Amino acid sequence: MATIKEVAERAGVAPSTVSYVLSGSRKISPDTQRAVRTAIAELGYTPRASARTLRSARSDVLVLAVPRVPGKYRAVDGRFAIDISDAARGHGYDLLMMTDPEGVGGLRRVAGSGLADAAVLMAVQERDPRIDALRALRFPTALLGHSDDPDLPRVDLDWKAAVTLAVRETVSAGHHRIVFLASADHEIRARRGYALSGLAGARQAAADSGADLRIHPSSGDPGRLRELLHRLLRTEPAPTALIVQHLVLLPLVREVATAHGLLGSGPPAVVLVGSLPDDPGCLRLPRIELPVEQMSTAVVRLAVEAIGATPRTAGAAEPVHQLIPPRLASGPQVPRPAP
């Protein structure tokens, strides 16, 4: 187990300075505080002081936990990281980003060392082990997504309503044979909230509309996805529209949809659910956009409130569990099927 002397050596300061940073008993420059807290996190040092003492020394940092598969990049993660960082600065906080695939060990180090004051969790699972770990440490936490936990503050797009809206608009345009390309199969297996809610919305919409809605998980593997799409779009009777929630491989989806006549010279019969605002690859398609800025602003506010820096006032307009209603973006509307 690391000692306070080893932390001091790693940070290039005296052991007494480490103690001052942890206790908050003396004013220490931000750069020195950052060096000490980084050394604490890297060495896994856990001070003997009580949690109350540690919590009294604020770091003015939020940690954003974004589980990431090595070698994989999702544009949505980068967009959220930027907007959450901007929102955090508005509250006087810096942002520490953690991309461990699981995240539990790293979050325990950050929470135990005082490197951050609160956590924002992305890619939330229905039963997320990160939540149990942070609750055991009594560490302030806000969720960008949905879980079964009733107590933690959270904000998300109402994915169930979003998929239901996409189906309703597509059926209203005259389409009755529709393929819904849901989130990737690995996201469904991980029981991510957005993936499960999207599936629930599709099933509800199919029951309500009576449409022939063919629901299929997507795939993160380009070859498998290409094969799946060709098979789905050549099934007889042929579908006339495609609703897509999994947008990571959208260029491939567009390529295959074009080959099957859904993106020909006329209006596109592909509807997107959860596209990034102002994404040039999506602007010519009917879509329900992900309200990234609104979600980022809300989740940072909830995290700061959880710390206690901004107590919730009576009669606050937004609930702690905030689902943002979806809306069809201005621009292209769902076209009618070809005669």
Side-chain angles (χ1 to χ4, degrees):
M1 181 178 294
T3 66
I4 195 168
K5 183 178 179 181
E6 290 170 333
V7 171
E9 290 174 352
R10 175 70 67 92
V13 300
S16 59
T17 302
V18 177
S19 297
Y20 296 148
V21 170
L22 291 174
S23 66
S25 59
R26 289 194 184 181
K27 187 173 179 60
I28 303 296
S29 73
D31 288 344
T32 300
Q33 288 194 46
R34 190 174 295 111
V36 169
R37 295 188 186 283
T38 299
I40 288 171
E42 290 175 350
L43 295 173
Y45 173 68
T46 302
R48 294 180 181 177
S50 67
R52 176 184 291 273
T53 301
L54 289 176
R55 197 56 54 222
S56 69
R58 293 273 172 80
S59 66
D60 295 331
V61 171
L62 303 179
V63 57
L64 173 63
V66 188
R68 179 174 175 269
V69 178
K72 300 290 185 181
Y73 171 74
R74 301 196 320 159
V76 66
D77 294 338
R79 180 65 180 268
F80 269 112
I82 291 171
D83 280 20
I84 288 173
S85 179
D86 289 345
R89 271 202 310 277
H91 289 272
Y93 286 81
D94 291 320
L95 191 69
L96 169 66
M97 190 168 174
M98 178 175 293
T99 59
D100 291 358
E102 299 300 330
V104 172
L107 285 171
R108 282 179 176 147
R109 289 194 303 274
V110 169
S113 67
L115 188 62
D117 298 328
V120 173
L121 306 187
M122 283 181 58
V124 179
Q125 299 178 27
E126 190 177 45
R127 294 178 179 85
D128 201 307
R130 297 174 298 174
I131 293 175
D132 293 335
L134 292 173
R135 176 178 283 108
L137 294 168
R138 298 185 178 181
F139 193 69
T141 304
L143 309 181
L144 192 66
H146 175 74
S147 82
D148 279 351
D149 190 286
D151 300 322
L152 290 180
R154 61 177 182 260
V155 62
D156 201 1
L157 173 67
D158 190 337
W159 287 97
K160 181 177 180 180
V163 173
T164 301
L165 173 60
V167 173
R168 185 169 67 243
E169 292 290 331
T170 305
V171 171
S172 295
H175 297 272
H176 298 285
R177 297 188 305 276
I178 306 164
V179 167
F180 172 58
L181 192 65
S183 294
D185 43 14
H186 68 271
E187 295 176 311
I188 295 171
R189 286 195 301 272
R191 302 194 69 75
R192 307 286 188 205
Y194 53 81
L196 300 181
S197 295
L199 285 173
R203 292 172 183 136
Q204 184 65 55
D208 292 344
S209 67
D212 177 8
L213 183 64
R214 306 163 192 183
I215 303 170
H216 292 272
S218 180
S219 172
D221 178 81
R224 288 179 57 199
L225 179 58
R226 186 188 302 275
E227 180 182 347
L228 171 66
L229 282 169
H230 278 300
R231 176 168 56 82
L232 293 176
L233 296 180
R234 70 166 62 104
T235 301
E236 294 295 339
T240 61
L242 174 65
I243 298 174
V244 184
Q245 182 179 1
H246 181 220
L247 304 180
V248 175
L249 298 176
L250 183 58
L252 187 154
V253 174
R254 291 174 63 98
E255 173 195 325
V256 177
T258 299
H260 286 267
L262 297 184
L263 278 169
S265 57
V270 175
V271 182
L272 309 181
V273 180
S275 63
L276 287 176
D278 305 321
D279 184 338
C282 302
L283 296 181
R284 297 181 62 185
L285 297 173
R287 64 201 183 279
I288 297 169
E289 292 183 340
L290 194 60
V292 177
E293 183 177 1
Q294 183 180 357
M295 292 170 66
S296 299
T297 300
V299 78
V300 167
R301 178 180 57 78
L302 292 175
V304 172
E305 288 179 357
I307 298 167
T310 307
R312 176 172 294 277
T313 57
E318 296 176 347
V320 172
H321 295 170
Q322 182 184 356
L323 282 178
I324 299 175
R327 64 180 184 84
L328 202 65
S330 60
Q333 302 298 298
V334 183
R336 299 193 65 80

